[in-house]
Amino acid sequence: MSFCSFVGGEVFKDHFQPGIYVCAKCGHELFSSRAKYEHSSPWPAFTETLRGDSVAKREERPGALKVTCGKCGNGLGHEFLNDGPKRGQSRF
């Protein structure tokens, strides 16, 4: 599976088959389908990355981190702190 950016119709938003989501640019493993959950945003939502080095993060504003591929730097969106399905979880 590839993690694709939103361009008028994100194909993986409602995709819940088991697997690993990878960077569309370099194939680096990013998220497991086990960390995916339904969310009202137009993009897929995850509670955690597959590994500690899956992504790189930098603060963009309070409560939101800019997220890029940990291998090639491809832009992946944001991590929203404390916005996950359970108290204290993040939403990627």
Side-chain angles (χ1 to χ4, degrees), residues 1 6-7 9 11 16-17 23 27 38 40 45-46 51 55-56 59 61 66 70 72-73 77 81 86 88-91:
M1 291 180 249
F6 180 71
V7 188
V11 297
F16 287 94
Q17 293 179 346
C23 175
E38 290 187 50
S40 61
F46 302 89
R51 295 186 306 269
V55 302
E59 186 173 24
R61 61 182 184 271
K66 186 70 175 170
C72 74
L81 306 176
K86 295 180 184 173
Q89 283 185 321
S90 288
R91 173 174 58 92

Side-chain angles (χ1 to χ4, degrees), residues 52-72:
D53 69 346
S54 292
V55 302
K57 307 173 193 178
R58 67 171 172 78
E59 186 173 24
E60 187 170 78
R61 61 182 184 271
L65 306 175
K66 186 70 175 170
V67 178
T68 58
C69 173
K71 184 175 180 182
C72 74

Side-chain angles (χ1 to χ4, degrees), residues 1 4 6 22-25 36 42 52 62 74 77 79 82 89-90:
M1 291 180 249
C4 302
F6 180 71
V22 301
C23 175
K25 186 173 180 181
K36 191 170 188 300
N74 187 32
E79 176 182 1
N82 299 310
Q89 283 185 321
S90 288

Side-chain angles (χ1 to χ4, degrees), residues 8-54:
E10 174 53 58
V11 297
F12 293 110
K13 178 187 177 356
D14 298 318
H15 179 80
F16 287 94
Q17 293 179 346
I20 303 296
Y21 290 80
V22 301
C23 175
K25 186 173 180 181
C26 74
H28 187 60
E29 294 182 338
L30 304 171
F31 303 98
S32 168
S33 60
R34 286 180 264 164
K36 191 170 188 300
Y37 68 99
E38 290 187 50
H39 190 268
S40 61
S41 75
W43 301 275
F46 302 89
T47 55
E48 61 188 1
T49 60
L50 189 63
R51 295 186 306 269
D53 69 346
S54 292

